Amino acid sequence: MVKGFIGSYTKKNGKGIYRFELNEETGVIENLETGYEINASTYLAQYDNTLAAITKNDTYSGLATFNIKKDGTLEKNGEALESFKGSGCYVSFSPDGEFVFEAVYGDGIARIYKFDAKNQKIERLIKEIYHDYEQGPNVERQEKPHVHYIDITPEQKYVVAVDLGADLLVTYHYGNKGLEVAHRTTLEPGDGPRHIEYHKNGEYAYVVNELSNTVVVMSYEDGRFTPIERHLTIPKEYFQPTKLAAVHLSHDQKFLYISNRGHDSIAIFKVLDNGRHLELVDIVPTQGEFPRDFNITPSDRYLVVAHQEGESTVTVFERDIENGTLTLKDSSQVAPEGVCVKFLNN
């Protein structure tokens, strides 16, 4: 059994954090239940046996931390809730567990916290930086900066904040003094960058753009990004409203997967030339509405998709290891308002 968590919105009937078990012999999710009821747990991150979750209430916003027990159940052990503006949309740990990073979409904020790994608690907010960059040309979505992602770079020297509103990648030095800008990379106007996935060789990054529905292959070196090529993640003839969501590489680094909300699909790309190029393999319906996030099992055998809208079905696809294609195996479970999929790292 592979254990995992699904974070959710709680605007309608979402409960917070769901836990599930996937039977890799059958490709079926056998157990999916509420793991912990908590408001707006829209993104999750794990360090050792700690799970961090975005959360908020009517007055405060911030992060909650949980102890992951041996059976996969959660025990809440701390909150870092302050009267901050806006709530987060992405959370990550530094590799040594010393820091936690949070991206705040609504107000365009990058945050760094000090983390006490021994006691599994956030000690304090070190610094928050408001992005004040010029916004992109999309009137509805780029009316101001929107930080959608902040995470570590391959060499672990920097974190990068992805600003959807300003079409920017902002590379920061990080540490006990907070965040300090090292480099800035500008994308094409109106791209609306959302997330980054890195090739394990550390030389290439795949930047996915929510608004232009594209993935840009970039060379990466010492905090700097240089574009190489770009690809659409939807069919050229599709003109209905849609926006790109999540991106993940297979663990063997041979295929890149990207979800599309609206077109309700996953684009499959073959990774070529040691990560430098991509080639479209297929675009597969996810069999649900608004696939906000998905993830690939540690074995590389299955891909699990959470759908935010409609019936919020959780679909399981079996991966062909050789050609990267997907075959539906299970759609029997539901995680209302599911928006984040994480597998438990043992």
Side-chain angles (χ1 to χ4, degrees):
M1 290 287 191
V2 180
K3 295 181 174 66
F5 299 103
I6 296 174
S8 76
Y9 277 108
T10 50
K11 297 177 181 179
K12 301 175 184 177
N13 54 351
K15 297 297 185 182
I17 302 173
Y18 303 96
R19 57 188 296 264
F20 68 91
E21 294 181 337
L22 172 65
N23 186 331
E24 286 202 287
E25 295 302 316
T26 62
V28 173
I29 293 177
E30 296 188 354
N31 301 294
L32 193 156
E33 61 187 12
T34 302
Y36 202 96
E37 290 198 25
I38 184 170
N39 195 42
S41 57
T42 55
Y43 209 83
L44 311 171
Q46 182 185 349
Y47 174 78
D48 197 16
N49 61 338
T50 300
L51 187 74
I54 297 291
T55 189
K56 67 176 181 178
N57 57 34
D58 293 339
T59 307
Y60 303 106
S61 63
L63 303 173
T65 55
F66 300 84
N67 175 48
I68 306 170
K69 297 182 178 181
K70 290 183 179 180
D71 62 357
T73 58
L74 299 174
E75 179 182 35
K76 190 176 181 182
N77 55 24
E79 282 186 336
L81 287 172
E82 302 288 347
S83 55
F84 297 135
K85 291 183 66 177
S87 61
C89 62
Y90 191 96
V91 59
S92 61
F93 286 92
S94 62
D96 59 6
E98 190 173 354
F99 303 102
V100 178
F101 309 99
E102 181 188 16
V104 180
Y105 177 85
D107 291 283
I109 302 170
R111 294 182 182 139
I112 178 172
Y113 299 86
K114 185 73 171 179
F115 184 65
D116 178 357
K118 181 179 179 180
N119 294 307
Q120 299 179 290
K121 294 182 179 181
I122 293 172
E123 291 183 6
R124 60 188 174 90
L125 173 69
I126 298 174
K127 191 174 184 178
E128 61 178 6
I129 293 181
Y130 284 75
H131 281 199
D132 58 359
Y133 304 109
E134 182 177 353
Q135 66 267 33
N138 187 305
V139 177
E140 293 184 358
R141 296 294 308 282
Q142 295 183 310
E143 80 288 359
K144 62 181 179 179
H146 292 301
V147 181
H148 214 310
Y149 163 105
I150 182 168
D151 213 331
I152 206 80
T153 56
E155 80 284 59
Q156 304 178 8
K157 183 178 178 181
Y158 308 99
V159 290
V160 176
V162 175
D163 195 319
L164 182 148
D167 293 320
L168 278 178
L169 311 181
V170 185
T171 304
Y172 288 103
H173 294 288
Y174 70 92
N176 288 309
K177 294 183 179 180
L179 300 170
E180 180 183 351
V181 176
H183 307 291
R184 286 189 289 268
T185 304
T186 303
L187 282 84
E188 291 190 12
D191 264 347
R194 180 182 174 94
H195 282 187
I196 303 175
E197 180 83 324
Y198 296 93
H199 195 279
K200 69 178 180 181
N201 63 20
E203 297 177 6
Y204 301 104
Y206 308 98
V207 179
V208 291
N209 299 308
E210 178 174 329
L211 303 185
S212 63
N213 297 293
T214 58
V215 55
V216 180
V217 182
M218 292 190 164
S219 62
Y220 173 79
E221 184 177 6
D222 193 30
R224 300 177 186 272
F225 298 83
T226 304
I228 298 172
E229 63 184 27
R230 58 195 288 131
H231 301 267
L232 267 177
T233 63
I234 56 173
K236 292 181 180 179
E237 63 276 10
Y238 189 81
F239 300 107
Q240 299 301 313
T242 188
K243 49 190 175 180
L244 181 152
V247 56
H248 293 288
L249 272 167
S250 59
H251 300 289
D252 62 12
Q253 309 290 283
K254 293 181 179 180
F255 296 93
L256 185 77
Y257 298 84
I258 300 167
S259 62
N260 301 298
R261 298 168 290 170
H263 190 254
D264 294 343
S265 62
I266 289 183
I268 307 167
F269 292 90
K270 186 175 183 178
V271 179
L272 304 171
D273 197 15
N274 201 29
R276 187 176 178 84
H277 299 294
L278 297 176
E279 179 182 273
L280 182 65
V281 174
D282 199 1
I283 301 176
V284 179
T286 58
Q287 308 299 324
E289 188 175 341
F290 219 68
R292 175 69 173 260
D293 195 23
F294 66 93
N295 219 322
I296 301 170
T297 58
S299 68
D300 256 350
R301 290 182 60 191
Y302 296 97
L303 186 150
V304 176
V305 188
H307 294 89
Q308 180 182 335
E309 303 294 343
E311 296 181 358
S312 293
T313 304
V314 179
T315 51
V316 180
F317 292 86
E318 186 172 17
R319 290 186 62 248
D320 187 302
I321 302 297
E322 297 302 318
N323 61 34
T325 55
L326 301 174
T327 302
L328 182 66
K329 295 293 289 185
D330 182 33
S331 58
S332 63
Q333 299 293 328
V334 171
E337 299 185 83
V339 293
C340 179
V341 181
K342 295 290 183 182
F343 289 104
L344 181 59
N345 298 322
N346 296 318

